Amino acid sequence: MLDCGLDMTSTLNFLPLPLVQSPRLSNLPGWSLKDGNAFLDKELKECSGHVFVDSVPEFCLPETELIDLSTVDVILISNYHCMMALPYITEHTGFTGTVYATEPTMQIGRLLMEELVNFIERVPKAQSASLWKNKDIQRLLPSPLKDAVEVSTWRRCYTMQEVNSALSKIQLVGYSQKIELFGAVQVTPLSSGYALGSSNWIIQSHYEKVSYVSGSSLLTTHPQPMDQASLKNSDVLVLTGLTQIPTANPDGMVGEFCSNLALTVRNGGNVLVPCYPSGVIYDLLECLYQYIDSAGLSNIPFYFISPVANSSLEFSQIFAEWLCHNKQSKVYLPEPPFPHAELIQTNKLKHYPSIHGDFSNDFRQPCVVFTGHPSLRFGDVVHFMELWGKSSLNTVIFTEPDFSYLEALAPYQPLAMKCIYCPIDTRLNFIQVSKLLKEVQPLHVVCPEQYTQPPPAQSHRMDLMIDCQPPAMSYRRAEVLALPFKRRYEKIEIMPELADSLVPMEIKPGISLATVSAVLHTKDNKHVLQPPPRPTQPPSSKKRKRVSEDVPDCKVLKPLLSGSIPVEQFVQTLEKHGFSDIKVEDTAKGHIVLLQEAETLIQIEEDSTHIICDNDETLRVRLRDLVLRFLQKF
Amino acid sequence: MPEIRVTPLGAGQDVGRSCILVSISGKNVMLDCGMHMGYNDDRRFPDFSYITQSGRLTDFLDCVIISHFHLDHCGALPYFSEMVGYDGPIYMTHPTQAICPILLEDYRKIAVDKKGEANFFTSQMIKDCMKKVVAVHLHQTVQVDDELEIKAYYAGHVLGAAMFQIKVGSESVVYTGDYNMTPDRHLGAAWIDKCRPNLLITESTYATTIRDSKRCRERDFLKKVHETVERGGKVLIPVFALGRAQELCILLETFWERMNLKVPIYFSTGLTEKANHYYKLFITWTNQKIRKTFVQRNMFEFKHIKAFDRTFADNPGPMVVFATPGMLHAGQSLQIFRKWAGNEKNMVIMPGYCVQGTVGHKILSGQRKLEMEGRQVLEVKMQVEYMSFSAHADAKGIMQLVGQAEPESVLLVHGEAKKMEFLRQKIEQEFRVSCYMPANGETVTLPTSPSIPVGISLGLLKREMVQGLLPEAKKPRLLHGTLVMKDSSFRLVSSEQALKELGLAEHQLRFTCRVHLQDTRKEQETALRVYSHLKSTLKDHCVQHLPDGSVTVESILIQAAAHSEDPGTKVLLVSWTYQDEELGSFLTALLKNGLPQAPS
């Protein structure tokens, strides 16, 4: 299984979970059907014309109906965002396989899951709505609830216990490490340049190679650059995790982010940045580190609020080996690779596990707050939206591309605060993709259906799709796709003793053949040919055995023959070996050699020889061996 | 005949100056490039002229691998690469790459600035040398070229220490460097998978020692330190800046904390803070416990241990000082030692191995009058204690590693000849593999017999595997095919396919034998009798009676015909191809014996 990401956009259909009781949210009117039937008003609430489910938020899981998870042997994880569904897959499903991921992926993935669990568990919600999921009722609901897919499979968040159990199934691997799976295939993670420890995977046997390219970046940010060279010579390249915002340039967005931030703060407003606790935030902090002094923001406090803020900042400093060259060489000095260490030391950046506790004492405005969750449905961000939403001095800046900012904001409407959309997505765009494909030249490209056509909103933009030859094969949810290769060969080892005994013959210039008769041993999907056992001595006892024990094993194959028999030479040979009275007749296709005395007839044609004789084994064997002299064995 | 050749240029039946040449399938690799602490002359560096007399080292060596940052494993590197001249790749782990240049610079300073040696490598040479380094991750398969690959495994010993697997095709050598099989207070234990190398080159520093439990040694150490400071004495602990120092600091720090002691602890040289910083940044290389708790508490931030100033050595009252280097052969530790040696209240604790020729080695072997520079004689009155804290595997650990890797043979380096001999016998007895211990400059040659990888057509393989699954296939079966060798590609295919690929036609050889039977019945009945006879005799074969009256056994056809002259005789025509030769021949012989009397 390649990755197991969690679709969290489903949570946009739910009401936010406030940390502090919010009168506004709890007083939203219930929603009723057009005919006035209000039986759903406990479950559904209305806010500025949108309908939300008032319940513990639920997530849309990967397709699990189609396969029996207990038959999955291995899960390969490409980056920490793509493992958020892991507990749903590995726990309570019969899954007994191994998950492979790099150490940063595992550690930061743990932080993301920990944060998610914490956000949801610390605001216990009594209500769990399920009535609306009924197919007949869902039909009657307004969009987007009406169109939500697979709502019956939506699930509540996992627990920390399940997270720990899921993570314990991870086997840590390093870039370019070759991992043998059951002796049949080898998998290798390669740097994908997108996030700390993010990987592309190569899955190969001795004769076939599949590359799985997911969430890759060619930009120079903090992670190790993408390894493209190792992707060459792929039979199939599976391409996914491209940028969500193909039209936005990440560098431009960062600039816009900084200037909007500065503008707001200078006017005495606060800036809210909904974000994940790891990833782009490291780059943003680094930009701000260079920017704040020149922009005169040195006195503005920066707060990073997340249950895992401290861990995330600490962890980022210890994965030097997974960072870009610049950051790596800092560690050799030795200095922390990320400048946020200095921001913390100089008290410009402060981090807190939540708004409760120390934060409330230190809190000064105007300020900049980085906090989660980017969906605005849970986490400390909900509190700041409620707190700052009413003032037009404040600004919320969206940098994470996973959620539509308009939908994210819907339950907070009407809103006075400014909203800036600066999505920063460093993953491959279509121009980079076509460059990459030209570079690595895979025989076939396989990708999700969306990438093979322009985005629906910009259907004229033919440049916003994958363009390659032969055309990419596309897949969609719950569809089975057969990959276009034919396996012809597998590797086998010939033991040295056997190799020594082979007699190669040069059949054509540069081509030699050797017939091999050997014992095949197969263990753990590895094949070895060993020399055949020596023929066992015939039993010395004269005792008559049962006939069936003497029956030869018909599966001992004789070699194939090739060539043709020159009649004249054959006859000469026969004469030399004491046959007389030989008569040769011509036939339509060849000759018949008659040994009149022995009542034996040998039909010789271009591609066949037929010996017809009486039951005289000695004679037959003699003739056989003479015929064989003229033929090649294979 | 392919072979693996190993020649130690250093560390052959000796500790120090590790440098081992390995030739494997035509690739030449140099393992470590160390200096010898016991010498100050030519013998301190390996004799690189052995590698090649005239040619350039770069042409001869495919790569150099450094196992860890200790100077007896990397101390000669700048001399080798910049002064002798080598421009190929040098592989080491990230922490080694980070720390190695610092120790080299330290070493250079002592040699040049303090001892005034000329013709030594310069700071710039260290920098240039480090530019040739390629850092490797643990378990990463590094492709040195198309054929040669190397892979690093965790070795424990010191931060960033690694064991290396060197592999060409199906042949491989594992070099352990220095390693430790038991986790300590700051590092984990060495680990390797069952990689079954042709040869395992292992260190054997503690070839004959089986150490008692770590806890006991730690208790012992704390007791000695505590007693000495209680009676007002000074404790000198010579260490290398990185490695044991951190382990002992953690140990003393927690002890001081628990006992609420106020006696000062110092750590010499400015390296302390820097060194600890490396440990913090490379925390993924430390042990499980430290890695798990580092967010809450960084084990390498010490409260009780302060930086040392050389004037402190003359301060009255008790103190504990960690000073470099660890073998008392130069630098600050030696200076302090000279100051404190005369007082019997003081104590020096040697926490690691000392090579021959160093002051450390001399006092450990009981020498109490030392001849110093300028014919001065130093009388040692202070107590001298030795505590094995150096993180080498002991005999048990070495045997454990051999068991883990399952090599075909073992080669011992980095140990003393006498002790090696003992371990060699033990390994040969226990694992039934040959074990070598060459001296410096002595070459060990191991013939290898690599198996030959070829491609087998899936059709042929599957056909064989399916038959292999049949229940009666217990006895070994023969696979028959044709090996097609074209250019350098080797493919094993079925004979039919080989013929087809070469555009050759098959030549069918068929036999038909007439077998005469006395039988007055009709041909059809004769055929039926033949059928039932064969059916009951050949239980494992497919015997069929066809509608046209003929009988088949597998693909062998038997037809009954009337004799043209004798109505009492029937002729059985048995027909088979050369591929069924054995069965056909068997059948004719069987039928010749006649049919059993039919039940009337």
Side-chain angles (χ1 to χ4, degrees):
Chain A
M1 183 184 273
L2 304 174
D3 282 330
C4 49
L6 192 57
D7 183 359
M8 292 200 255
T9 53
S10 61
T11 61
L12 293 173
N13 295 299
F14 292 79
L15 273 189
L17 288 179
L19 262 178
V20 183
Q21 177 79 5
S22 154
R24 184 187 72 86
L25 285 172
S26 41
N27 290 330
L28 286 175
W31 181 82
S32 48
L33 289 171
K34 281 195 196 94
D35 59 7
N37 194 335
F39 72 100
L40 281 170
D41 68 349
K42 287 273 184 310
E43 292 201 348
L44 301 179
K45 303 281 175 184
E46 196 166 353
C47 175
S48 306
H50 285 84
V51 177
F52 297 95
V53 183
D54 185 11
S55 164
V56 184
E58 295 180 327
F59 306 108
C60 180
L61 270 52
E63 179 64 48
T64 52
E65 302 281 296
L66 211 60
I67 44 162
D68 176 0
L69 286 172
S70 67
T71 64
V72 173
D73 296 313
V74 165
I75 301 178
L76 305 179
I77 303 290
S78 55
N79 62 66
Y80 45 76
H81 286 298
C82 293
M83 59 185 280
M84 295 300 281
L86 202 57
Y88 294 122
I89 302 295
T90 62
E91 306 309 297
H92 321 300
T93 57
F95 174 82
T96 54
T98 312
V99 184
Y100 290 96
T102 62
E103 182 166 13
T105 299
M106 198 271 264
Q107 297 291 7
I108 297 174
R110 177 197 294 277
L111 297 181
L112 291 182
M113 291 182 183
E114 212 177 297
E115 185 190 56
L116 192 66
V117 172
N118 190 293
F119 280 162
I120 293 194
E121 282 184 353
R122 72 186 177 185
V123 196
K125 190 148 185 151
Q127 173 157 322
S128 177
S130 57
L131 263 182
W132 70 278
K133 287 184 176 182
N134 186 310
K135 273 210 172 80
D136 294 324
I137 295 172
Q138 199 197 352
R139 264 190 308 123
L140 306 171
L141 303 180
S143 261
L145 279 181
K146 185 173 69 177
D147 310 318
V149 290
E150 315 260 344
V151 288
S152 58
T153 67
W154 288 13
R155 298 260 295 275
R156 302 170 62 162
C157 189
Y158 32 73
T159 63
M160 211 48 218
Q161 199 188 354
E162 287 166 326
V163 170
N164 287 330
S165 168
L167 294 177
S168 71
K169 298 181 170 79
I170 292 184
Q171 173 100 43
L172 296 180
V173 293
Y175 288 151
S176 306
Q177 180 176 347
K178 293 178 177 170
I179 305 135
E180 286 281 337
L181 299 183
F182 319 108
V185 288
Q186 197 180 54
V187 296
T188 309
L190 303 172
S191 178
S192 78
Y194 165 57
L196 265 176
S198 69
S199 346
N200 291 323
W201 288 86
I202 290 179
I203 305 156
Q204 63 188 340
S205 67
H206 290 284
Y207 293 92
E208 299 87 17
K209 175 170 173 180
V210 178
S211 297
Y212 174 57
V213 176
S214 161
S216 298
S217 176
L218 292 171
L219 300 178
T220 322
T221 55
H222 58 271
Q224 222 182 79
M226 176 175 176
D227 178 354
Q228 297 184 55
S230 311
L231 298 173
K232 285 184 182 170
N233 303 321
S234 299
D235 295 292
V236 171
L237 186 139
V238 183
L239 182 64
T240 184
L242 303 185
T243 177
Q244 311 240 32
I245 325 288
T247 47
N249 165 13
D251 282 337
M253 287 296 143
V254 171
E256 217 167 291
F257 169 83
C258 288
S259 56
N260 276 300
L261 182 142
L263 192 69
T264 306
V265 176
R266 269 194 222 113
N267 291 333
N270 301 296
V271 176
L272 177 62
V273 188
C275 62
Y276 291 115
S278 177
V280 177
I281 183 170
Y282 302 144
D283 297 316
L284 291 178
L285 288 175
E286 184 155 3
C287 285
L288 290 171
Y289 168 78
Q290 291 154 2
Y291 183 75
I292 45 180
D293 286 327
S294 63
L297 303 177
S298 333
N299 297 320
I300 302 295
F302 287 76
Y303 300 117
F304 175 20
I305 302 170
S306 160
V308 297
N310 186 27
S311 302
S312 164
L313 293 172
E314 290 284 343
F315 269 114
S316 68
Q317 307 286 22
I318 66 159
F319 290 128
E321 291 161 65
W322 308 84
L323 293 174
C324 64
H325 183 74
N326 249 339
K327 298 220 176 304
Q328 242 175 47
S329 45
K330 277 197 152 177
V331 177
Y332 293 172
L333 294 177
E335 275 172 22
F338 283 98
H340 53 240
E342 200 184 319
L343 285 175
I344 295 168
Q345 231 168 32
T346 54
N347 263 333
K348 284 177 181 153
L349 174 68
K350 293 186 178 180
H351 54 84
Y352 304 89
S354 90
I355 52 167
H356 298 300
D358 291 344
F359 175 71
S360 34
N361 303 327
D362 300 347
F363 185 43
R364 276 191 299 122
Q365 301 191 70
C367 64
V368 179
V369 170
F370 293 88
T371 188
H373 185 272
S375 65
L376 305 192
R377 291 303 178 271
F378 37 81
D380 302 274
V381 73
V382 176
H383 174 75
F384 288 99
M385 284 305 294
E386 294 288 334
L387 184 70
W388 291 342
K390 297 169 211 83
S391 164
S392 62
L393 280 178
N394 302 327
T395 306
V396 53
I397 309 181
F398 292 89
T399 56
E400 302 286 355
D402 287 355
F403 302 92
S404 144
Y405 80 107
L406 289 173
E407 283 181 48
L409 287 171
Y412 298 96
Q413 300 293 359
L415 202 63
M417 126 192 253
K418 276 200 292 283
C419 304
I420 307 288
Y421 183 52
C422 296
I424 298 169
D425 194 333
T426 57
R427 287 173 287 185
L428 296 175
N429 62 32
F430 292 101
I431 299 166
Q432 291 162 335
V433 166
S434 63
K435 232 172 89 185
L436 174 74
L437 292 181
K438 245 177 231 146
E439 178 80 24
V440 306
Q441 303 259 354
L443 287 185
H444 297 277
V445 176
V446 173
C447 67
E449 198 180 26
Q450 298 91 290
Y451 298 152
T452 58
Q453 55 211 36
Q458 294 155 298
S459 53
H460 61 287
R461 293 287 300 266
M462 296 306 285
D463 56 328
L464 298 185
M465 56 181 274
I466 291 178
D467 180 25
C468 63
Q469 277 309 325
M473 307 175 65
S474 65
Y475 59 86
R476 54 185 149 183
R477 185 170 177 133
E479 192 179 66
V480 177
L481 186 70
L483 293 185
F485 43 44
K486 236 185 133 174
R487 299 189 53 218
R488 290 207 171 84
Y489 289 97
E490 212 166 282
K491 195 173 126 176
I492 193 165
E493 303 254 323
I494 297 185
M495 296 289 282
E497 303 85 39
L498 176 62
D500 287 344
S501 73
L502 296 180
V503 189
M505 305 182 281
E506 185 155 6
I507 300 292
K508 287 181 178 180
I511 304 178
S512 301
L513 297 187
T515 49
V516 180
S517 284
V519 179
L520 174 70
H521 281 265
T522 298
K523 196 181 164 195
D524 299 335
N525 287 320
K526 295 249 180 279
H527 313 294
V528 177
L529 281 184
Q530 292 179 348
R534 291 211 181 118
T536 43
Q537 295 298 314
S540 52
S541 71
K542 288 272 157 65
K543 203 170 73 183
R544 191 188 150 80
K545 293 198 299 177
R546 283 183 48 220
V547 188
S548 62
E549 283 172 18
D550 287 334
V551 178
D553 184 355
C554 69
K555 288 182 195 82
V556 179
L557 280 174
K558 282 281 180 196
L560 292 187
L561 304 172
S562 179
S564 56
I565 296 174
V567 177
E568 278 173 30
Q569 285 179 37
F570 180 59
V571 171
Q572 283 167 17
T573 313
L574 286 176
E575 283 169 344
K576 213 186 280 169
H577 281 78
F579 290 94
S580 54
D581 203 6
I582 303 171
K583 208 173 142 192
V584 180
E585 287 173 17
D586 288 353
T587 64
K589 285 184 184 164
H591 310 273
I592 291 180
V593 178
L594 279 169
L595 306 176
Q596 291 172 322
E597 198 176 313
E599 285 189 54
T600 294
L601 192 138
I602 305 170
Q603 284 176 351
I604 298 175
E605 289 178 9
E606 179 67 26
D607 288 331
S608 66
T609 301
H610 194 163
I611 301 175
I612 302 162
C613 61
D614 266 344
N615 193 1
D616 180 347
E617 188 66 3
T618 333
L619 171 70
R620 190 186 68 81
V621 169
R622 271 177 72 199
L623 288 173
R624 178 193 74 191
D625 292 342
L626 289 177
V627 168
L628 287 178
R629 285 190 185 188
F630 292 92
L631 298 172
Q632 287 165 328
K633 295 181 187 181
F634 290 93
Chain B
M1 194 68 177
E3 58 186 27
I4 295 175
R5 283 199 316 277
V6 182
T7 314
L9 298 186
Q13 302 182 3
D14 186 18
V15 175
R17 203 174 68 174
S18 281
C19 185
I20 298 134
L21 284 180
V22 173
S23 295
I24 171 171
S25 294
K27 303 283 170 185
N28 298 311
V29 178
M30 188 166 104
L31 304 169
D32 279 338
C33 187
M35 50 82 83
H36 204 295
M37 313 252 184
Y39 302 116
N40 279 325
D41 51 24
D42 281 351
R43 289 173 294 173
R44 105 183 118 197
F45 293 144
D47 178 13
F48 297 116
S49 64
Y50 178 92
I51 302 175
T52 167
Q53 290 289 339
S54 49
R56 292 172 60 240
L57 287 173
T58 317
D59 299 333
F60 185 80
L61 290 173
D62 291 281
C63 74
V64 173
I65 294 171
I66 302 294
S67 64
H68 63 286
F69 60 63
H70 278 158
L71 289 173
D72 57 332
H73 292 261
C74 70
L77 200 55
Y79 168 76
F80 163 77
S81 76
E82 304 311 306
M83 297 174 76
V84 183
Y86 168 77
D87 298 318
I90 302 168
Y91 293 96
M92 54 178 82
T93 65
H94 284 270
T96 307
Q97 191 190 358
I99 296 164
C100 186
I102 295 169
L103 297 187
L104 286 172
E105 182 58 31
D106 239 41
Y107 172 41
R108 191 197 67 79
K109 268 191 201 144
I110 291 172
V112 177
D113 300 354
K114 294 241 170 77
K115 294 188 192 156
E117 285 187 47
N119 202 17
F120 207 75
F121 53 79
T122 64
S123 295
Q124 188 56 42
M125 285 177 181
I126 298 176
K127 281 184 194 137
D128 293 340
C129 164
M130 292 311 289
K131 282 182 195 146
K132 297 170 184 169
V133 171
V134 181
V136 300
H137 297 245
L138 279 184
H139 303 164
Q140 174 190 8
T141 306
V142 179
Q143 215 69 49
V144 177
D145 59 34
D146 286 347
E147 289 156 336
L148 174 62
E149 57 180 50
I150 60 172
K151 180 175 176 184
Y153 291 93
Y154 191 78
H157 189 61
V158 288
L159 194 73
M163 308 189 274
F164 280 88
Q165 182 191 42
I166 300 111
K167 199 172 168 192
V168 181
S170 61
E171 290 176 46
S172 65
V173 171
V174 169
Y175 172 57
T176 64
D178 292 354
Y179 62 102
N180 189 8
M181 292 300 283
T182 46
D184 61 27
R185 277 179 187 263
H186 74 305
L187 296 173
W191 177 86
I192 195 161
D193 53 12
K194 208 181 278 304
C195 55
R196 298 197 175 97
N198 297 87
L199 177 67
L200 174 78
I201 303 175
T202 174
E203 66 134 324
S204 49
T205 324
Y206 290 114
T208 53
T209 323
I210 299 213
R211 283 179 294 176
D212 48 1
S213 93
K214 192 109 193 172
R215 296 273 156 212
C216 293
R217 266 176 289 148
E218 287 178 357
R219 225 176 14 240
D220 214 19
F221 169 79
L222 292 171
K223 199 173 137 218
K224 279 176 183 149
V225 172
H226 193 200
E227 279 170 5
T228 309
V229 296
E230 282 287 272
R231 64 169 182 258
K234 296 176 167 65
V235 182
L236 171 64
I237 308 170
V239 287
F240 288 99
L242 289 132
R244 240 21 51 202
Q246 277 68 29
E247 184 186 359
L248 296 177
C249 283
I250 293 176
L251 191 61
L252 276 190
E253 169 89 6
T254 37
F255 185 71
W256 251 236
E257 184 95 26
R258 201 173 70 224
M259 305 293 286
N260 199 19
L261 296 177
K262 294 285 177 273
V263 175
I265 309 176
Y266 298 112
F267 198 118
S268 83
T269 80
L271 255 177
T272 352
E273 211 180 332
K274 225 173 167 183
N276 293 339
H277 214 107
Y278 280 116
Y279 275 85
K280 198 185 161 185
L281 293 173
F282 286 112
I283 212 130
T284 51
W285 286 81
T286 60
N287 69 23
Q288 277 287 323
K289 195 179 152 209
I290 295 185
R291 287 161 61 168
K292 263 201 171 138
T293 55
F294 89 101
V295 177
Q296 289 77 42
R297 183 170 185 275
N298 181 8
M299 290 291 267
F300 298 105
E301 264 159 28
F302 302 118
K303 268 194 287 180
H304 297 273
I305 302 169
K306 310 239 162 33
F308 180 75
D309 186 290
R310 65 176 58 194
T311 58
F312 292 177
D314 300 318
N315 286 0
M319 67 174 83
V320 179
V321 176
F322 289 95
T324 56
M327 297 188 196
L328 284 180
H329 55 284
Q332 200 150 30
S333 62
L334 188 59
Q335 277 174 22
I336 300 172
F337 173 75
R338 289 166 81 159
K339 276 195 177 141
W340 294 357
N343 191 335
E344 61 277 359
K345 267 206 291 191
N346 297 341
M347 178 183 282
V348 59
I349 300 180
M350 306 297 298
Y353 185 87
C354 292
V355 303
Q356 247 175 8
T358 59
V359 172
H361 187 266
K362 284 176 192 156
I363 58 169
L364 281 184
S365 50
Q367 224 174 306
R368 286 296 173 263
K369 286 206 165 70
L370 301 173
E371 197 172 319
M372 308 304 278
E373 294 136 53
R375 294 203 177 163
Q376 246 181 306
V377 174
L378 182 70
E379 198 172 345
V380 182
K381 287 188 184 154
M382 79 197 293
Q383 297 175 52
V384 177
E385 292 289 346
Y386 172 68
M387 314 226 71
S388 160
F389 274 100
S390 60
H392 294 278
D394 61 5
K396 210 169 106 199
I398 296 170
M399 299 300 276
Q400 216 179 325
L401 187 88
V402 175
Q404 265 183 26
E406 284 192 6
E408 282 171 18
S409 50
V410 178
L411 189 146
L412 303 178
V413 293
H414 201 282
E416 290 160 30
K418 250 192 257 156
K419 296 181 180 175
M420 275 183 176
E421 181 56 44
F422 175 81
L423 184 66
R424 188 177 73 86
Q425 286 174 9
K426 213 172 141 188
I427 288 174
E428 289 192 333
Q429 270 168 21
E430 193 155 320
F431 296 102
R432 310 247 161 243
V433 298
S434 35
C435 183
Y436 309 87
M437 40 176 283
N440 287 335
E442 196 181 309
T443 302
V444 170
T445 306
L446 289 170
T448 59
S449 50
S451 52
I452 295 157
V454 302
I456 181 169
S457 88
L458 220 55
L460 178 62
L461 183 65
K462 278 195 178 144
R463 188 170 82 193
E464 288 304 316
M465 304 247 293
V466 166
Q467 288 173 351
L469 290 176
L470 297 176
E472 81 267 25
K474 285 267 164 57
K475 46 189 171 182
R477 293 172 6 77
L478 282 185
L479 173 146
H480 185 83
T482 302
L483 188 64
V484 181
M485 289 164 274
K486 188 177 170 184
D487 303 326
S488 58
S489 99
F490 286 55
R491 288 171 308 125
L492 185 61
V493 298
S494 63
S495 305
E496 293 90 344
Q497 193 183 335
L499 283 178
K500 214 167 133 194
E501 280 183 22
L502 289 167
L504 297 176
E506 189 193 336
H507 188 105
Q508 207 183 56
L509 177 58
R510 180 168 274 282
F511 305 97
T512 302
C513 267
R514 294 183 290 261
V515 182
H516 297 264
L517 275 186
Q518 294 302 316
D519 193 350
T520 50
R521 275 165 275 204
K522 285 209 168 113
E523 296 94 68
Q524 288 90 330
E525 285 170 52
T526 311
L528 201 62
R529 285 180 66 204
V530 168
Y531 169 70
S532 33
H533 175 50
L534 293 180
K535 183 86 184 166
S536 64
T537 316
L538 306 172
K539 293 220 166 53
D540 289 342
H541 292 75
C542 173
V543 183
Q544 280 180 306
H545 191 209
L546 300 182
D548 68 356
S550 52
V551 175
T552 60
V553 179
E554 306 288 349
S555 55
I556 294 170
L557 185 73
I558 304 168
Q559 283 171 315
H563 195 276
S564 51
E565 290 148 21
D566 180 3
T569 304
K570 296 288 173 295
V571 181
L572 292 177
L573 292 173
V574 184
S575 180
W576 70 94
T577 63
Y578 177 60
Q579 278 66 43
D580 291 319
E581 172 72 4
E582 256 131 86
L583 188 60
S585 155
F586 171 78
L587 278 181
T588 50
L590 182 69
L591 291 171
K592 204 175 179 179
N593 291 334
L595 300 173
Q597 276 310 306
S600 43

